[in-house]
């Protein structure tokens, strides 16, 4: 009989593969694996010093007593749940509220910084420098074109949130050159400075600083050189000038500064030496040939060294050297708000004003873009949506860990025939300051969680080491021995 003439069913029967032995081997392996796992878990439960686990594997008990294992399982599960709940609340407290702010009244032992002042001239275009610019770069302009250029540059130099709509349309200058033109047309300023501590702080001068109101000048501002246009061009930290901060104690007597014979009117800001002015801050204006005096009081807050070991989110503040900002190597609250405004401006209009530090990812607004920003001026200044539901923009800006808040209690301005003068100082030294300290540190977390685990399960550090040992080293040894 030929092979192809065989019945197909008979052919399958003749050559059918018998896999019964393979199935038996697989079953034996699975049974052996289950037995090994059961023995290993039983060994861990019987030898662990965590309370209650040994009752689950004790075979030396009466048959009736063995039925109580279900009760022990429930008790152990409840204990684990209770310790997890309390441990979680402890960890949450450490992450969200580990610090405390208290009062310090040892005022004779600390120094108080004199407030920094930033002055933004109301006239930022020098006529002589403008004529030199025209003769150098715009010789083919007619008189009408020159006047249009001057009007544009004057309005551009004074443009900020709330005045962008005043900038006239002009497309003969690239937006990337706006800041360069404004800085090149800034004339020299003249002034005379005197203070109450001339012998110690005689070298402090006005420092150029680019702010949200354009080019300004700061006195006693440690942060100001970081916003100097020349520093932006150099990008070399080794050339950064260190500013000596003027400060004093009650034993030093009154502390004040007087800037006289200024050749410009200004918009003034009073702020911390470790801060920059913000467009939303209070402005103290003064036209030319006026004498202004500002009486200032201070309230400072400082952080203990232990605060440094917490994350910014835990402590709710940042130190000066903890910057994650794209526009600054140092961190301040207002610089963080500046970057937040840049992000919101780019989101709304696709560009940012020219007076911020140039960064490739941020496109500089042309006149059309500035007019777009003016439509959202209230939102960009306050960083709060006031239309409909009052909602604050989440900028992620933390206050500084070491800060001084200044309050201007007296603001007097009189006409003066000897130029523009400004005098400010502390009318009295603060007799109280706030101290931020660690209330609940990592050591307290360990003690609390350890106490909770000991209360519910009788655990200790050795108990956790025992778990690690059993499920790593001991498990590996048993696996090798089985092989």
């Amino acid at each position: 009989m030929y092979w192809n003439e065989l019945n197909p069913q008979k052919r399958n029967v003749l050559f059918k593969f018998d896999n019964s032995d393979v199935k038996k081997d697989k079953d034996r392996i699975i049974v052996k694996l289950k037995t090994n796992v059961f023995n290993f878990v039983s060994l861990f439960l019987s030898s662990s010093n965590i309370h209650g686990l040994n009752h689950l594997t004790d075979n030396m008990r009466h048959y009736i007593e063995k039925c109580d294992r279900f009760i022990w399982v429930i008790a152990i599960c409840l204990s684990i749940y209770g310790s997890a709940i309390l441990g979680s609340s402890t960890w949450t407290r450490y992450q969200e509220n580990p610090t405390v702010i208290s009062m310090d009244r040892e005022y004779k032992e600390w120094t108080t910084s004199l407030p920094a002042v930033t002055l933004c001239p109301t006239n930022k275009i020098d006529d002589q420098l403008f004529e030199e610019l025209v003769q150098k770069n715009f010789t083919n302009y007619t008189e009408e074109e020159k006047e249009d250029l001057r009007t544009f540059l004057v309005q551009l130099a004074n443009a900020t949130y709330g005045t962008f709509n005043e900038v006239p349309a002009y497309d003969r200058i690239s937006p990337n050159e706006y800041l360069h033109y404004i800085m090149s047309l800034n004339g020299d300023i003249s002034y005379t400075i005197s203070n109450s501590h001339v012998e110690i702080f005689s070298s402090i001068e006005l420092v150029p600083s680019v702010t949200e109101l354009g080019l300004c000048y700061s006195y006693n501002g440690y942060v100001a050189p970081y916003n100097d246009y020349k520093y932006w061009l150099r990008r070399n930290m080794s050339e950064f000038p260190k500013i000596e901060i003027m400060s004093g104690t009650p034993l030093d007597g009154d502390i004040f500064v007087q800037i006289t014979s200024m050749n410009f009117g200004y918009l003034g800001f009073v702020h911390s030496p470790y801060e920059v002015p913000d467009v939303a801050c209070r402005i103290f204006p003064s036209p030319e040939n006026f004498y202004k005096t500002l009486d200032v009081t201070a309230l400072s807050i400082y952080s203990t060294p232990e605060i440094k070991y917490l994350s910014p989110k835990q402590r709710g503040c940042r130190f000066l050297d903890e910057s994650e900002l794209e526009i600054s190597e140092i961190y301040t609250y207002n610089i963080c708000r500046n970057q937040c405004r840049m992000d919101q401006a780019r989101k709304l209009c696709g560009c940012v004003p020219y007076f911020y530090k140039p960064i490739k990812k941020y496109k500089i607004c042309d006149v059309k873009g500035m007019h777009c920003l003016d439509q959202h001026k209230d939102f960009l200044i306050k960083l709060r949506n006031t239309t409909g539901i009052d909602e604050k923009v989440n900028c992620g800006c933390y206050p500084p860990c070491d800060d001084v808040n200044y309050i201007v209690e007296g603001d007097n301005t009189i006409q003066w025939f000897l130029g523009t003068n400004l005098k400010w100082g502390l009318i009295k030294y603060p007799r109280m300051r706030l101290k931020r300290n660690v209330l609940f540190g990592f050591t307290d977390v360990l003690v609390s969680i350890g106490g909770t685990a000991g209360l519910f399960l009788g655990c200790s550090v050795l108990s956790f080491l025992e778990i690690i040992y059993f499920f790593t080293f001991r498990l590996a040894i048993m696996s090798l021995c089985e092989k």
Side-chain angles (χ1 to χ4, degrees), residues 95-145:
Q95 291 295 327
E96 297 181 358
N97 194 26
T99 62
V100 63
I101 296 179
S102 58
M103 290 186 182
D104 185 4
R105 295 186 177 274
E106 299 296 330
Y107 63 93
K108 294 182 180 180
E109 298 181 2
W110 70 67
T111 61
T112 302
S113 301
L114 179 76
V117 164
T118 297
L119 306 178
C120 303
T122 53
N123 183 15
K124 297 183 174 67
I125 302 297
D126 184 84
D127 294 336
Q128 182 178 352
L129 293 177
F130 176 76
E131 293 298 329
E132 295 176 359
L133 175 67
V134 170
Q135 294 176 6
K136 182 179 180 181
N137 298 325
F138 304 97
T139 55
N140 58 340
Y141 274 30
T142 63
E143 292 299 324
E144 183 178 356
E145 290 175 329

Side-chain angles (χ1 to χ4, degrees), residues 144-349:
E144 183 178 356
E145 290 175 329
K146 292 179 182 179
E147 186 62 28
D148 292 340
L149 174 62
R150 176 180 174 79
T151 302
F152 169 73
L153 292 175
V154 169
Q155 295 297 335
L156 180 65
N158 292 282
T160 186
Y161 298 100
T163 63
F164 284 133
N165 63 324
E166 299 177 6
V167 180
Y170 198 85
D171 58 0
R172 294 192 175 187
I173 298 178
S174 170
N176 293 328
E177 297 179 336
Y178 285 171
L179 184 59
H180 169 72
Y181 277 104
I182 296 302
M183 298 303 300
S184 63
L185 294 176
N186 175 57
D188 294 332
I189 60 173
S190 61
Y191 58 89
T192 302
I193 296 180
S194 60
N195 60 59
S196 56
H197 296 63
V198 178
E199 297 179 358
I200 304 175
F201 304 103
S202 59
S203 60
I204 303 179
E205 299 291 337
L206 291 179
V207 177
S209 178
V210 181
T211 70
E212 292 179 320
L213 272 75
L215 177 63
C216 303
Y217 298 89
S218 295
Y219 183 87
N220 202 48
Y222 181 86
V223 182
Y226 284 94
N227 289 330
D228 187 359
Y229 179 67
K230 294 180 180 179
Y231 171 74
W232 289 354
L233 296 178
R234 290 196 307 263
R235 299 180 180 273
N236 189 351
M237 287 295 296
S238 62
E239 300 180 12
F240 176 72
K242 300 297 182 181
I243 301 297
E244 185 180 13
I245 301 302
M246 187 173 180
S247 58
T249 67
L251 300 178
D252 297 329
D254 295 338
I255 180 171
F256 64 87
V257 175
Q258 184 170 241
I259 305 178
T260 59
S261 303
M262 290 185 285
N263 62 345
F264 58 90
Y266 60 84
L267 302 176
F269 296 88
V270 177
H271 54 88
S272 167
Y274 302 97
E275 190 54 274
V276 298
D278 186 277
V279 69
C281 295
R282 181 181 177 185
I283 300 177
F284 301 92
S286 175
E288 289 190 61
N289 299 318
F290 275 78
Y291 194 124
K292 178 181 284 292
T293 58
L294 300 174
D295 298 328
V296 186
T297 59
L299 176 63
S300 61
I301 180 171
Y302 77 101
S303 301
T304 58
E306 293 80 10
I307 289 289
K308 191 78 173 181
Y309 298 102
L310 299 175
S311 67
K313 183 178 180 181
Q314 288 177 291
R315 61 174 111 100
C317 64
R318 280 187 182 274
F319 287 96
L320 200 66
D321 58 351
E322 293 181 332
S323 176
E324 296 179 352
L325 304 174
E326 296 179 310
I327 64 173
S328 177
E329 295 83 0
I330 60 174
Y331 178 85
T332 75
Y333 178 73
N334 286 343
I335 293 180
C336 180
R337 283 173 57 88
N338 289 352
Q339 181 166 313
C340 186
R341 283 197 186 92
M342 294 174 68
D343 293 333
Q344 296 301 317
R346 185 177 64 168
K347 183 178 179 181
L348 293 170
C349 300

Side-chain angles (χ1 to χ4, degrees), residues 388-417:
I389 300 176
D390 190 2
E391 183 179 0
K392 186 177 180 181
V393 177
N394 183 16
C395 297
C397 297
Y398 293 107
C401 293
D402 298 319
D403 191 22
V404 183
N405 294 315
Y406 296 97
I407 301 174
V408 178
E409 295 191 349
D411 179 7
N412 300 309
T413 305
I414 60 174
Q415 195 166 5
W416 197 251
F417 60 93

